[in-house]
Structures are given as C-alpha cells and as structure tokens.
mmCIF file of all heavy atoms in Angstrom:
data_model
loop_
_atom_site.group_PDB
_atom_site.id
_atom_site.type_symbol
_atom_site.label_atom_id
_atom_site.label_comp_id
_atom_site.label_asym_id
_atom_site.label_seq_id
_atom_site.Cartn_x
_atom_site.Cartn_y
_atom_site.Cartn_z
ATOM 1 N N ALA A 154 -86.145 -80.848 27.797
ATOM 2 C CA ALA A 154 -85.947 -81.131 26.372
ATOM 3 C C ALA A 154 -84.450 -81.232 26.114
ATOM 4 O O ALA A 154 -83.735 -80.220 26.154
ATOM 5 C CB ALA A 154 -86.579 -80.056 25.503
ATOM 6 N N VAL A 155 -83.996 -82.444 25.882
ATOM 7 C CA VAL A 155 -82.598 -82.702 25.538
ATOM 8 C C VAL A 155 -82.587 -83.656 24.357
ATOM 9 O O VAL A 155 -83.193 -84.734 24.418
ATOM 10 C CB VAL A 155 -81.814 -83.337 26.706
ATOM 11 C CG1 VAL A 155 -80.358 -83.570 26.299
ATOM 12 C CG2 VAL A 155 -81.887 -82.465 27.953
ATOM 13 N N VAL A 156 -81.952 -83.254 23.267
ATOM 14 C CA VAL A 156 -81.774 -84.140 22.115
ATOM 15 C C VAL A 156 -80.281 -84.174 21.801
ATOM 16 O O VAL A 156 -79.614 -83.145 21.802
ATOM 17 C CB VAL A 156 -82.605 -83.698 20.892
ATOM 18 C CG1 VAL A 156 -84.080 -83.971 21.118
ATOM 19 C CG2 VAL A 156 -82.388 -82.235 20.573
ATOM 20 N N GLU A 157 -79.783 -85.364 21.547
ATOM 21 C CA GLU A 157 -78.342 -85.539 21.478
ATOM 22 C C GLU A 157 -77.943 -86.432 20.314
ATOM 23 O O GLU A 157 -78.563 -87.465 20.057
ATOM 24 C CB GLU A 157 -77.880 -86.159 22.799
ATOM 25 C CG GLU A 157 -76.398 -86.203 23.017
ATOM 26 C CD GLU A 157 -76.062 -86.671 24.429
ATOM 27 O OE1 GLU A 157 -76.468 -85.973 25.397
ATOM 28 O OE2 GLU A 157 -75.420 -87.729 24.555
ATOM 29 N N SER A 158 -76.896 -86.012 19.615
ATOM 30 C CA SER A 158 -76.255 -86.837 18.588
ATOM 31 C C SER A 158 -74.934 -87.346 19.160
ATOM 32 O O SER A 158 -74.637 -87.161 20.344
ATOM 33 C CB SER A 158 -76.017 -86.019 17.321
ATOM 34 O OG SER A 158 -75.061 -84.990 17.579
ATOM 35 N N GLN A 159 -74.134 -87.943 18.336
ATOM 36 C CA GLN A 159 -72.839 -88.428 18.805
ATOM 37 C C GLN A 159 -71.938 -87.285 19.245
ATOM 38 O O GLN A 159 -71.146 -87.420 20.180
ATOM 39 C CB GLN A 159 -72.152 -89.231 17.708
ATOM 40 C CG GLN A 159 -70.832 -89.867 18.140
ATOM 41 C CD GLN A 159 -70.247 -90.774 17.072
ATOM 42 O OE1 GLN A 159 -70.882 -91.030 16.055
ATOM 43 N NE2 GLN A 159 -69.041 -91.257 17.296
ATOM 44 N N ASN A 160 -72.072 -86.124 18.595
ATOM 45 C CA ASN A 160 -71.163 -85.012 18.859
ATOM 46 C C ASN A 160 -71.790 -83.846 19.610
ATOM 47 O O ASN A 160 -71.073 -83.129 20.322
ATOM 48 C CB ASN A 160 -70.609 -84.481 17.528
ATOM 49 C CG ASN A 160 -69.854 -85.535 16.756
ATOM 50 O OD1 ASN A 160 -68.959 -86.178 17.286
ATOM 51 N ND2 ASN A 160 -70.239 -85.732 15.495
ATOM 52 N N LEU A 161 -73.089 -83.631 19.433
ATOM 53 C CA LEU A 161 -73.730 -82.421 19.944
ATOM 54 C C LEU A 161 -74.927 -82.735 20.822
ATOM 55 O O LEU A 161 -75.572 -83.772 20.691
ATOM 56 C CB LEU A 161 -74.199 -81.529 18.793
ATOM 57 C CG LEU A 161 -73.180 -80.720 18.012
ATOM 58 C CD1 LEU A 161 -73.892 -79.788 17.056
ATOM 59 C CD2 LEU A 161 -72.264 -79.918 18.932
ATOM 60 N N ARG A 162 -75.240 -81.748 21.669
ATOM 61 C CA ARG A 162 -76.430 -81.819 22.519
ATOM 62 C C ARG A 162 -77.187 -80.490 22.400
ATOM 63 O O ARG A 162 -76.586 -79.413 22.442
ATOM 64 C CB ARG A 162 -76.019 -82.050 23.968
ATOM 65 C CG ARG A 162 -77.171 -82.094 24.963
ATOM 66 C CD ARG A 162 -76.643 -82.239 26.390
ATOM 67 N NE ARG A 162 -75.875 -83.473 26.554
ATOM 68 C CZ ARG A 162 -74.576 -83.522 26.855
ATOM 69 N NH1 ARG A 162 -73.896 -82.386 27.001
ATOM 70 N NH2 ARG A 162 -73.953 -84.679 26.996
ATOM 71 N N LEU A 163 -78.494 -80.570 22.237
ATOM 72 C CA LEU A 163 -79.367 -79.417 22.386
ATOM 73 C C LEU A 163 -80.110 -79.578 23.706
ATOM 74 O O LEU A 163 -80.677 -80.630 23.983
ATOM 75 C CB LEU A 163 -80.390 -79.326 21.246
ATOM 76 C CG LEU A 163 -79.887 -79.206 19.817
ATOM 77 C CD1 LEU A 163 -81.072 -78.992 18.872
ATOM 78 C CD2 LEU A 163 -78.879 -78.086 19.662
ATOM 79 N N ARG A 164 -80.110 -78.531 24.514
ATOM 80 C CA ARG A 164 -80.841 -78.538 25.783
ATOM 81 C C ARG A 164 -81.438 -77.162 26.009
ATOM 82 O O ARG A 164 -81.037 -76.179 25.361
ATOM 83 C CB ARG A 164 -79.906 -78.902 26.938
ATOM 84 C CG ARG A 164 -78.710 -77.978 27.053
ATOM 85 C CD ARG A 164 -77.988 -78.117 28.381
ATOM 86 N NE ARG A 164 -76.763 -77.311 28.403
ATOM 87 C CZ ARG A 164 -76.726 -75.993 28.632
ATOM 88 N NH1 ARG A 164 -77.853 -75.309 28.845
ATOM 89 N NH2 ARG A 164 -75.570 -75.339 28.642
ATOM 90 N N ILE A 165 -82.396 -77.087 26.909
ATOM 91 C CA ILE A 165 -83.038 -75.799 27.193
ATOM 92 C C ILE A 165 -81.993 -74.811 27.713
ATOM 93 O O ILE A 165 -81.206 -75.128 28.609
ATOM 94 C CB ILE A 165 -84.171 -75.974 28.218
ATOM 95 C CG1 ILE A 165 -85.248 -76.903 27.664
ATOM 96 C CG2 ILE A 165 -84.772 -74.616 28.582
ATOM 97 C CD1 ILE A 165 -86.336 -77.269 28.664
ATOM 98 N N ILE A 166 -81.993 -73.632 27.151
ATOM 99 C CA ILE A 166 -81.033 -72.618 27.557
ATOM 100 C C ILE A 166 -81.323 -72.168 28.981
ATOM 101 O O ILE A 166 -82.481 -72.174 29.434
ATOM 102 C CB ILE A 166 -81.048 -71.439 26.566
ATOM 103 C CG1 ILE A 166 -79.690 -70.746 26.529
ATOM 104 C CG2 ILE A 166 -82.181 -70.440 26.870
ATOM 105 C CD1 ILE A 166 -79.457 -69.922 25.295
ATOM 106 N N GLN A 167 -80.288 -71.786 29.719
ATOM 107 C CA GLN A 167 -80.408 -71.376 31.112
ATOM 108 C C GLN A 167 -79.707 -70.042 31.323
ATOM 109 O O GLN A 167 -78.808 -69.666 30.556
ATOM 110 C CB GLN A 167 -79.791 -72.433 32.039
ATOM 111 C CG GLN A 167 -80.406 -73.823 31.932
ATOM 112 C CD GLN A 167 -81.864 -73.847 32.366
ATOM 113 O OE1 GLN A 167 -82.257 -73.128 33.296
ATOM 114 N NE2 GLN A 167 -82.674 -74.670 31.700
ATOM 115 N N ALA A 168 -80.095 -69.341 32.395
ATOM 116 C CA ALA A 168 -79.497 -68.035 32.680
ATOM 117 C C ALA A 168 -77.974 -68.122 32.793
ATOM 118 O O ALA A 168 -77.251 -67.229 32.337
ATOM 119 C CB ALA A 168 -80.102 -67.460 33.960
ATOM 120 N N ALA A 169 -77.472 -69.214 33.366
ATOM 121 C CA ALA A 169 -76.022 -69.363 33.554
ATOM 122 C C ALA A 169 -75.263 -69.456 32.233
ATOM 123 O O ALA A 169 -74.054 -69.209 32.196
ATOM 124 C CB ALA A 169 -75.739 -70.594 34.408
ATOM 125 N N ASP A 170 -75.950 -69.779 31.155
ATOM 126 C CA ASP A 170 -75.290 -69.856 29.844
ATOM 127 C C ASP A 170 -74.806 -68.493 29.359
ATOM 128 O O ASP A 170 -73.978 -68.413 28.453
ATOM 129 C CB ASP A 170 -76.248 -70.448 28.805
ATOM 130 C CG ASP A 170 -76.482 -71.934 29.010
ATOM 131 O OD1 ASP A 170 -75.506 -72.660 29.286
ATOM 132 O OD2 ASP A 170 -77.634 -72.362 28.894
ATOM 133 N N ALA A 171 -75.336 -67.427 29.951
ATOM 134 C CA ALA A 171 -74.965 -66.081 29.502
ATOM 135 C C ALA A 171 -73.469 -65.824 29.655
ATOM 136 O O ALA A 171 -72.871 -65.104 28.858
ATOM 137 C CB ALA A 171 -75.754 -65.039 30.285
ATOM 138 N N TYR A 172 -72.856 -66.419 30.661
ATOM 139 C CA TYR A 172 -71.453 -66.141 30.933
ATOM 140 C C TYR A 172 -70.559 -66.680 29.819
ATOM 141 O O TYR A 172 -69.533 -66.072 29.488
ATOM 142 C CB TYR A 172 -71.063 -66.714 32.292
ATOM 143 C CG TYR A 172 -71.854 -66.092 33.417
ATOM 144 C CD1 TYR A 172 -73.009 -66.707 33.910
ATOM 145 C CD2 TYR A 172 -71.497 -64.853 33.949
ATOM 146 C CE1 TYR A 172 -73.762 -66.112 34.914
ATOM 147 C CE2 TYR A 172 -72.246 -64.251 34.956
ATOM 148 C CZ TYR A 172 -73.383 -64.889 35.423
ATOM 149 O OH TYR A 172 -74.142 -64.292 36.398
ATOM 150 N N LYS A 173 -70.909 -67.801 29.255
ATOM 151 C CA LYS A 173 -70.148 -68.347 28.119
ATOM 152 C C LYS A 173 -70.566 -67.666 26.815
ATOM 153 O O LYS A 173 -69.742 -67.413 25.936
ATOM 154 C CB LYS A 173 -70.393 -69.857 28.024
ATOM 155 C CG LYS A 173 -69.600 -70.564 26.927
ATOM 156 C CD LYS A 173 -68.130 -70.651 27.239
ATOM 157 C CE LYS A 173 -67.333 -71.301 26.102
ATOM 158 N NZ LYS A 173 -67.691 -72.713 25.924
ATOM 159 N N ALA A 174 -71.856 -67.377 26.694
ATOM 160 C CA ALA A 174 -72.381 -66.842 25.435
ATOM 161 C C ALA A 174 -71.930 -65.413 25.162
ATOM 162 O O ALA A 174 -71.749 -65.025 24.008
ATOM 163 C CB ALA A 174 -73.910 -66.895 25.452
ATOM 164 N N PHE A 175 -71.753 -64.620 26.216
ATOM 165 C CA PHE A 175 -71.537 -63.180 26.041
ATOM 166 C C PHE A 175 -70.323 -62.886 25.163
ATOM 167 O O PHE A 175 -70.404 -62.089 24.214
ATOM 168 C CB PHE A 175 -71.391 -62.498 27.402
ATOM 169 C CG PHE A 175 -71.317 -61.003 27.318
ATOM 170 C CD1 PHE A 175 -72.434 -60.243 27.016
ATOM 171 C CD2 PHE A 175 -70.111 -60.348 27.538
ATOM 172 C CE1 PHE A 175 -72.363 -58.857 26.930
ATOM 173 C CE2 PHE A 175 -70.032 -58.962 27.461
ATOM 174 C CZ PHE A 175 -71.159 -58.216 27.157
ATOM 175 N N SER A 176 -69.205 -63.527 25.444
ATOM 176 C CA SER A 176 -68.005 -63.246 24.650
ATOM 177 C C SER A 176 -68.149 -63.747 23.216
ATOM 178 O O SER A 176 -67.618 -63.131 22.282
ATOM 179 C CB SER A 176 -66.777 -63.897 25.301
ATOM 180 O OG SER A 176 -66.940 -65.303 25.379
ATOM 181 N N LEU A 177 -68.877 -64.849 23.033
ATOM 182 C CA LEU A 177 -69.060 -65.392 21.689
ATOM 183 C C LEU A 177 -69.940 -64.491 20.829
ATOM 184 O O LEU A 177 -69.674 -64.279 19.642
ATOM 185 C CB LEU A 177 -69.690 -66.790 21.770
ATOM 186 C CG LEU A 177 -68.877 -67.875 22.481
ATOM 187 C CD1 LEU A 177 -69.688 -69.167 22.560
ATOM 188 C CD2 LEU A 177 -67.553 -68.123 21.764
ATOM 189 N N ILE A 178 -70.995 -63.966 21.438
ATOM 190 C CA ILE A 178 -71.981 -63.221 20.664
ATOM 191 C C ILE A 178 -71.585 -61.758 20.472
ATOM 192 O O ILE A 178 -72.207 -61.036 19.686
ATOM 193 C CB ILE A 178 -73.368 -63.346 21.326
ATOM 194 C CG1 ILE A 178 -74.462 -63.202 20.283
ATOM 195 C CG2 ILE A 178 -73.549 -62.340 22.451
ATOM 196 C CD1 ILE A 178 -75.836 -63.590 20.764
ATOM 197 N N LYS A 179 -70.546 -61.315 21.161
ATOM 198 C CA LYS A 179 -70.044 -59.958 20.942
ATOM 199 C C LYS A 179 -69.144 -59.868 19.715
ATOM 200 O O LYS A 179 -68.769 -58.787 19.287
ATOM 201 C CB LYS A 179 -69.264 -59.482 22.180
ATOM 202 C CG LYS A 179 -70.111 -59.296 23.422
ATOM 203 C CD LYS A 179 -71.087 -58.138 23.304
ATOM 204 C CE LYS A 179 -70.377 -56.808 23.371
ATOM 205 N NZ LYS A 179 -71.326 -55.664 23.340
ATOM 206 N N ASP A 180 -68.794 -60.994 19.144
ATOM 207 C CA ASP A 180 -67.902 -61.053 17.983
ATOM 208 C C ASP A 180 -68.606 -60.462 16.762
ATOM 209 O O ASP A 180 -69.675 -60.940 16.367
ATOM 210 C CB ASP A 180 -67.520 -62.509 17.723
ATOM 211 C CG ASP A 180 -66.441 -62.664 16.656
ATOM 212 O OD1 ASP A 180 -66.329 -61.784 15.776
ATOM 213 O OD2 ASP A 180 -65.731 -63.686 16.694
ATOM 214 N N PRO A 181 -68.030 -59.434 16.129
ATOM 215 C CA PRO A 181 -68.665 -58.845 14.934
ATOM 216 C C PRO A 181 -68.886 -59.847 13.808
ATOM 217 O O PRO A 181 -69.809 -59.682 13.003
ATOM 218 C CB PRO A 181 -67.679 -57.749 14.516
ATOM 219 C CG PRO A 181 -66.916 -57.421 15.746
ATOM 220 C CD PRO A 181 -66.810 -58.713 16.512
ATOM 221 N N GLU A 182 -68.053 -60.882 13.730
ATOM 222 C CA GLU A 182 -68.244 -61.900 12.703
ATOM 223 C C GLU A 182 -69.564 -62.649 12.895
ATOM 224 O O GLU A 182 -70.151 -63.146 11.933
ATOM 225 C CB GLU A 182 -67.072 -62.896 12.727
ATOM 226 C CG GLU A 182 -65.800 -62.367 12.125
ATOM 227 C CD GLU A 182 -65.954 -62.045 10.636
ATOM 228 O OE1 GLU A 182 -66.401 -62.921 9.882
ATOM 229 O OE2 GLU A 182 -65.641 -60.912 10.245
ATOM 230 N N VAL A 183 -70.004 -62.744 14.132
ATOM 231 C CA VAL A 183 -71.275 -63.397 14.439
ATOM 232 C C VAL A 183 -72.441 -62.425 14.241
ATOM 233 O O VAL A 183 -73.431 -62.742 13.572
ATOM 234 C CB VAL A 183 -71.273 -63.949 15.882
ATOM 235 C CG1 VAL A 183 -72.647 -64.511 16.249
ATOM 236 C CG2 VAL A 183 -70.210 -65.028 16.030
ATOM 237 N N THR A 184 -72.334 -61.229 14.806
ATOM 238 C CA THR A 184 -73.475 -60.312 14.805
ATOM 239 C C THR A 184 -73.786 -59.738 13.429
ATOM 240 O O THR A 184 -74.908 -59.305 13.184
ATOM 241 C CB THR A 184 -73.232 -59.148 15.786
ATOM 242 O OG1 THR A 184 -72.003 -58.482 15.448
ATOM 243 C CG2 THR A 184 -73.150 -59.662 17.208
ATOM 244 N N ARG A 185 -72.838 -59.754 12.506
ATOM 245 C CA ARG A 185 -73.126 -59.154 11.188
ATOM 246 C C ARG A 185 -74.184 -59.933 10.419
ATOM 247 O O ARG A 185 -74.779 -59.406 9.486
ATOM 248 C CB ARG A 185 -71.853 -59.021 10.355
ATOM 249 C CG ARG A 185 -71.257 -60.298 9.804
ATOM 250 C CD ARG A 185 -69.901 -60.017 9.197
ATOM 251 N NE ARG A 185 -69.213 -61.190 8.698
ATOM 252 C CZ ARG A 185 -69.018 -61.438 7.407
ATOM 253 N NH1 ARG A 185 -69.466 -60.595 6.492
ATOM 254 N NH2 ARG A 185 -68.365 -62.517 7.032
ATOM 255 N N TYR A 186 -74.445 -61.163 10.808
ATOM 256 C CA TYR A 186 -75.479 -61.957 10.148
ATOM 257 C C TYR A 186 -76.734 -62.108 11.011
ATOM 258 O O TYR A 186 -77.595 -62.928 10.716
ATOM 259 C CB TYR A 186 -74.930 -63.335 9.786
ATOM 260 C CG TYR A 186 -73.923 -63.300 8.658
ATOM 261 C CD1 TYR A 186 -72.647 -63.816 8.822
ATOM 262 C CD2 TYR A 186 -74.256 -62.739 7.424
ATOM 263 C CE1 TYR A 186 -71.722 -63.795 7.779
ATOM 264 C CE2 TYR A 186 -73.340 -62.700 6.387
ATOM 265 C CZ TYR A 186 -72.081 -63.231 6.573
ATOM 266 O OH TYR A 186 -71.179 -63.191 5.536
ATOM 267 N N LEU A 187 -76.818 -61.330 12.092
ATOM 268 C CA LEU A 187 -77.987 -61.377 12.961
ATOM 269 C C LEU A 187 -78.809 -60.111 12.799
ATOM 270 O O LEU A 187 -78.271 -59.040 12.577
ATOM 271 C CB LEU A 187 -77.558 -61.524 14.425
ATOM 272 C CG LEU A 187 -76.733 -62.766 14.771
ATOM 273 C CD1 LEU A 187 -76.355 -62.739 16.252
ATOM 274 C CD2 LEU A 187 -77.484 -64.036 14.428
ATOM 275 N N MET A 188 -80.126 -60.243 12.948
ATOM 276 C CA MET A 188 -80.995 -59.085 12.783
ATOM 277 C C MET A 188 -81.118 -58.266 14.065
ATOM 278 O O MET A 188 -81.719 -57.200 14.062
ATOM 279 C CB MET A 188 -82.386 -59.527 12.309
ATOM 280 C CG MET A 188 -83.152 -60.389 13.269
ATOM 281 S SD MET A 188 -84.788 -60.843 12.625
ATOM 282 C CE MET A 188 -85.593 -59.240 12.629
ATOM 283 N N TRP A 189 -80.519 -58.764 15.143
ATOM 284 C CA TRP A 189 -80.569 -58.028 16.405
ATOM 285 C C TRP A 189 -79.151 -57.745 16.879
ATOM 286 O O TRP A 189 -78.211 -58.459 16.559
ATOM 287 C CB TRP A 189 -81.335 -58.820 17.471
ATOM 288 C CG TRP A 189 -81.070 -60.297 17.487
ATOM 289 C CD1 TRP A 189 -81.718 -61.261 16.772
ATOM 290 C CD2 TRP A 189 -80.063 -60.978 18.247
ATOM 291 N NE1 TRP A 189 -81.185 -62.492 17.032
ATOM 292 C CE2 TRP A 189 -80.171 -62.352 17.934
ATOM 293 C CE3 TRP A 189 -79.083 -60.572 19.152
ATOM 294 C CZ2 TRP A 189 -79.344 -63.326 18.503
ATOM 295 C CZ3 TRP A 189 -78.248 -61.538 19.723
ATOM 296 C CH2 TRP A 189 -78.401 -62.886 19.395
ATOM 297 N N ASP A 190 -79.003 -56.665 17.651
ATOM 298 C CA ASP A 190 -77.702 -56.281 18.177
ATOM 299 C C ASP A 190 -77.347 -57.146 19.380
ATOM 300 O O ASP A 190 -78.227 -57.642 20.088
ATOM 301 C CB ASP A 190 -77.708 -54.809 18.591
ATOM 302 C CG ASP A 190 -77.868 -53.877 17.400
ATOM 303 O OD1 ASP A 190 -77.339 -54.215 16.329
ATOM 304 O OD2 ASP A 190 -78.536 -52.840 17.548
ATOM 305 N N SER A 191 -76.072 -57.318 19.616
ATOM 306 C CA SER A 191 -75.640 -58.115 20.760
ATOM 307 C C SER A 191 -75.953 -57.377 22.063
ATOM 308 O O SER A 191 -76.060 -56.147 22.083
ATOM 309 C CB SER A 191 -74.139 -58.395 20.665
ATOM 310 O OG SER A 191 -73.407 -57.184 20.656
ATOM 311 N N PRO A 192 -76.123 -58.104 23.165
ATOM 312 C CA PRO A 192 -76.428 -57.471 24.453
ATOM 313 C C PRO A 192 -75.268 -56.601 24.930
ATOM 314 O O PRO A 192 -74.104 -56.869 24.618
ATOM 315 C CB PRO A 192 -76.654 -58.668 25.387
ATOM 316 C CG PRO A 192 -75.892 -59.786 24.759
ATOM 317 C CD PRO A 192 -75.991 -59.571 23.279
ATOM 318 N N LYS A 193 -75.608 -55.588 25.708
ATOM 319 C CA LYS A 193 -74.575 -54.662 26.174
ATOM 320 C C LYS A 193 -73.842 -55.188 27.406
ATOM 321 O O LYS A 193 -72.682 -54.837 27.637
ATOM 322 C CB LYS A 193 -75.196 -53.298 26.476
ATOM 323 C CG LYS A 193 -75.726 -52.584 25.226
ATOM 324 C CD LYS A 193 -76.332 -51.237 25.582
ATOM 325 C CE LYS A 193 -76.721 -50.453 24.330
ATOM 326 N NZ LYS A 193 -77.712 -51.172 23.502
ATOM 327 N N THR A 194 -74.517 -56.007 28.221
ATOM 328 C CA THR A 194 -73.904 -56.534 29.434
ATOM 329 C C THR A 194 -74.247 -58.015 29.591
ATOM 330 O O THR A 194 -75.238 -58.507 29.029
ATOM 331 C CB THR A 194 -74.400 -55.790 30.684
ATOM 332 O OG1 THR A 194 -75.803 -56.038 30.851
ATOM 333 C CG2 THR A 194 -74.164 -54.279 30.555
ATOM 334 N N ILE A 195 -73.444 -58.697 30.395
ATOM 335 C CA ILE A 195 -73.743 -60.093 30.706
ATOM 336 C C ILE A 195 -75.075 -60.200 31.429
ATOM 337 O O ILE A 195 -75.859 -61.127 31.182
ATOM 338 C CB ILE A 195 -72.612 -60.708 31.552
ATOM 339 C CG1 ILE A 195 -71.345 -60.865 30.724
ATOM 340 C CG2 ILE A 195 -73.038 -62.063 32.123
ATOM 341 C CD1 ILE A 195 -70.162 -61.429 31.501
ATOM 342 N N ASN A 196 -75.354 -59.257 32.316
ATOM 343 C CA ASN A 196 -76.609 -59.329 33.071
ATOM 344 C C ASN A 196 -77.820 -59.199 32.152
ATOM 345 O O ASN A 196 -78.845 -59.863 32.363
ATOM 346 C CB ASN A 196 -76.646 -58.244 34.154
ATOM 347 C CG ASN A 196 -77.778 -58.475 35.139
ATOM 348 O OD1 ASN A 196 -77.907 -59.556 35.724
ATOM 349 N ND2 ASN A 196 -78.627 -57.473 35.317
ATOM 350 N N GLU A 197 -77.722 -58.341 31.133
ATOM 351 C CA GLU A 197 -78.801 -58.218 30.160
ATOM 352 C C GLU A 197 -79.062 -59.559 29.473
ATOM 353 O O GLU A 197 -80.215 -59.984 29.314
ATOM 354 C CB GLU A 197 -78.445 -57.158 29.120
ATOM 355 C CG GLU A 197 -79.500 -56.966 28.028
ATOM 356 C CD GLU A 197 -79.040 -56.014 26.939
ATOM 357 O OE1 GLU A 197 -78.154 -55.171 27.211
ATOM 358 O OE2 GLU A 197 -79.560 -56.124 25.801
ATOM 359 N N LEU A 198 -77.994 -60.245 29.102
ATOM 360 C CA LEU A 198 -78.134 -61.541 28.450
ATOM 361 C C LEU A 198 -78.632 -62.595 29.440
ATOM 362 O O LEU A 198 -79.461 -63.442 29.089
ATOM 363 C CB LEU A 198 -76.797 -61.965 27.851
ATOM 364 C CG LEU A 198 -76.803 -63.225 26.986
ATOM 365 C CD1 LEU A 198 -77.781 -63.100 25.819
ATOM 366 C CD2 LEU A 198 -75.406 -63.543 26.484
ATOM 367 N N ARG A 199 -78.158 -62.550 30.670
ATOM 368 C CA ARG A 199 -78.601 -63.496 31.693
ATOM 369 C C ARG A 199 -80.109 -63.388 31.930
ATOM 370 O O ARG A 199 -80.815 -64.405 32.017
ATOM 371 C CB ARG A 199 -77.841 -63.242 33.004
ATOM 372 C CG ARG A 199 -78.143 -64.254 34.103
ATOM 373 C CD ARG A 199 -77.442 -63.866 35.399
ATOM 374 N NE ARG A 199 -77.957 -62.621 35.917
ATOM 375 C CZ ARG A 199 -79.087 -62.518 36.620
ATOM 376 N NH1 ARG A 199 -79.822 -63.591 36.876
ATOM 377 N NH2 ARG A 199 -79.485 -61.352 37.065
ATOM 378 N N LEU A 200 -80.618 -62.168 32.008
ATOM 379 C CA LEU A 200 -82.058 -61.972 32.205
ATOM 380 C C LEU A 200 -82.851 -62.440 30.994
ATOM 381 O O LEU A 200 -83.942 -63.010 31.130
ATOM 382 C CB LEU A 200 -82.345 -60.495 32.497
ATOM 383 C CG LEU A 200 -81.815 -59.968 33.838
ATOM 384 C CD1 LEU A 200 -82.018 -58.465 33.935
ATOM 385 C CD2 LEU A 200 -82.490 -60.672 35.010
ATOM 386 N N ALA A 201 -82.298 -62.216 29.800
ATOM 387 C CA ALA A 201 -82.970 -62.682 28.583
ATOM 388 C C ALA A 201 -83.054 -64.202 28.571
ATOM 389 O O ALA A 201 -84.102 -64.784 28.254
ATOM 390 C CB ALA A 201 -82.235 -62.174 27.348
#
C-alpha cells in the first residue's frame, strides 16, 4: 500500500522506521497531544 502526492508518500510502516521515529516521538511537544506514552526504547518501538 503506497499512495503518493507531489510532496508526500504514505507507505506501510516497517520495523526499521523505529530508528527515525524514536527521536521524533520522544518530543514532549508531540506526546502532549497523544493518548499514549512514547516508547521507552528504540527496540520497543521496533517491535511495535
């Protein structure tokens, strides 16, 4: 499943995405609007 506009792409998430996502999702500015807490480790996010 890949859908793409001129600027953006949506694709199925993969375990390897955890390495980029971890630092982004640990930001309090992001998590304050989420109903779940950020993962404690990269491996936790990778498995998810």
Side-chain angles (χ1 to χ4, degrees):
V155 181
V156 288
E157 190 173 299
S158 66
Q159 184 174 353
N160 300 308
L161 285 187
R162 178 184 300 117
L163 300 186
R164 57 166 174 80
I165 298 173
I166 208 160
Q167 301 296 324
D170 288 317
Y172 298 95
K173 183 71 183 294
F175 186 73
S176 60
L177 297 176
I178 207 168
K179 294 292 288 183
D180 188 333
E182 284 297 307
V183 174
T184 56
R185 72 189 177 110
Y186 289 124
L187 301 178
M188 64 179 293
W189 40 272
D190 294 325
S191 60
K193 293 180 174 60
T194 65
I195 291 178
N196 192 53
E197 179 186 336
L198 187 57
R199 185 185 65 81
L200 292 173

